[in-house]
Amino acid sequence: MTDSPPSDPAAPLLLFDSGVGGLSVLRKVRAMLPQAPVIYVADNAGLPYGDKTEAQIAARVSGLLGRLTERLRPRLVCIACNTASTIALASVREVLEVPIVGTVPAIKPAAAMTTTGVIGLLGTAATIRQSYVDRLEAEFASGKTLLRHGAPELVAAAEAKLRGEPVDPAVYARAAQALRDMPGGERIDTVVLACTHFPLVQDELAAAFGPGVGFIDGSDGIARRIAHLTQGQTWRRERSDLALFTRGGAQVDQLRPALAEHGLDRVEVF
Ligand code: DGL
């Protein structure tokens, strides 16, 4: 890894996710670094990651990021995906010579927020079984109760919402109920959104949980980390930013308005 700043002020930040989830991170990055050129990459040909094995995710993410960084020469890569980060961050860091910022389930801030001591965590099935999450729980939430639920339906719901399609509110109710039904679940006052897709449906989840529940995700911390790592670097954002998808088609076209809202006016297939 090299710490020297890029000589090209147009060198982009590369944000990577399996789908549109990373847009919840891009919002925060954009607010903190408005001049930063961004390339947003959605590996929609591999979506959803949450149903895949560790080996499949690690191979896919390392391979793709290798090709992407070679072709696009980003100054920094942000893996805006909890599933990919909790599984592949360490191995990707070993092979890429560019600073990499990952997405970590926000268990530490959640432990500081909860007053009942019971925290819910919503992630993908792959994320919630990771030893990475066990370690965060042991380090930051010992003495608290952390209840985990894998909610792949919410990934599909967030994708559909951003395509402008209606989503059955029962999807959100089922996620809330699954956590409430666990021992101690009725005392949950804080929910970690441990998948970058989920802040995109936070209002719907808040309605499903009802009053008295706060939500936390890692996006603020990521934006601060990127700002810190690029401190003192110059930026030149010459035109609207680019969204790259690993598979084109009608569903990508339906996402264009949501992408444009995030400053991604150009859409291409990688
Ligand atoms: N957005 C991704 C995450 O943060 C995963 C969604 C998926 O592909 O299952 O975990």
Side-chain angles (χ1 to χ4, degrees):
M1 136 125 53
T2 170
D3 287 334
S4 56
S7 48
D8 177 6
L13 297 175
L14 192 154
L15 265 70
F16 176 86
D17 183 36
S18 55
V20 294
L23 296 178
S24 66
V25 176
L26 177 56
R27 283 175 185 169
K28 303 290 176 65
V29 173
R30 184 81 76 204
M32 205 166 274
L33 297 169
Q35 295 313 316
V38 169
I39 298 180
Y40 183 87
V41 181
D43 178 20
N44 59 327
L47 181 80
Y49 280 2
D51 297 349
K52 296 191 163 45
T53 65
E54 281 71 3
Q56 286 172 322
I57 294 165
R60 194 165 182 104
V61 172
S62 314
L64 253 173
L65 283 177
R67 283 187 282 135
L68 285 160
T69 52
E70 209 172 286
R71 178 145 4 141
L72 303 168
R73 303 273 166 212
R75 71 179 72 198
L76 180 147
V77 170
C78 170
I79 304 181
C81 173
N82 289 259
T83 312
S85 297
T86 53
I87 292 168
L89 185 59
S91 54
V92 171
R93 278 201 174 121
E94 268 174 32
V95 294
L96 295 190
E97 289 194 358
V98 61
I100 318 261
V101 174
T103 307
V104 173
I107 292 172
K108 186 180 178 183
M113 268 171 69
T114 180
T115 53
T116 63
V118 185
I119 301 165
L121 184 144
L122 292 172
T124 65
T127 295
I128 64 164
R129 65 172 181 255
Q130 293 311 309
S131 52
Y132 196 112
V133 180
D134 301 339
R135 286 198 296 276
L136 290 173
E137 179 178 0
E139 191 171 350
F140 300 116
S142 63
K144 319 271 184 213
T145 302
L146 183 75
L147 303 175
R148 309 178 193 184
H149 175 62
E153 281 194 307
L154 294 178
V155 175
E159 292 281 337
K161 178 183 174 182
L162 267 65
R163 287 197 300 266
E165 294 170 6
V167 177
D168 182 355
V171 169
Y172 308 110
R174 276 196 289 273
Q177 202 54 48
L179 282 175
R180 290 294 193 199
D181 285 347
M182 292 179 190
E186 70 289 346
R187 292 173 52 234
I188 289 172
D189 65 352
T190 305
V191 173
V192 180
L193 300 179
C195 168
T196 52
H197 278 76
F198 299 172
L200 302 173
V201 292
Q202 183 172 321
D203 291 346
E204 292 84 345
L205 285 169
F209 274 94
V213 174
F215 294 85
I216 179 89
D217 63 76
S219 55
D220 285 314
I222 295 170
R224 280 196 301 272
R225 182 82 189 134
I226 294 175
H228 173 75
L229 288 173
T230 58
Q231 217 167 13
Q233 297 183 10
T234 50
W235 304 98
R236 197 173 66 238
R237 191 168 169 225
E238 291 165 327
R239 49 188 184 149
S240 63
D241 288 321
L242 173 66
L244 284 179
F245 287 78
T246 51
R247 179 162 56 205
Q251 292 203 330
V252 171
D253 287 332
Q254 281 177 270
L255 287 171
R256 280 177 188 271
L259 295 168
E261 266 176 41
H262 292 81
L264 302 166
D265 290 311
R266 294 181 294 136
V267 178
E268 291 174 18
V269 174
F270 177 73

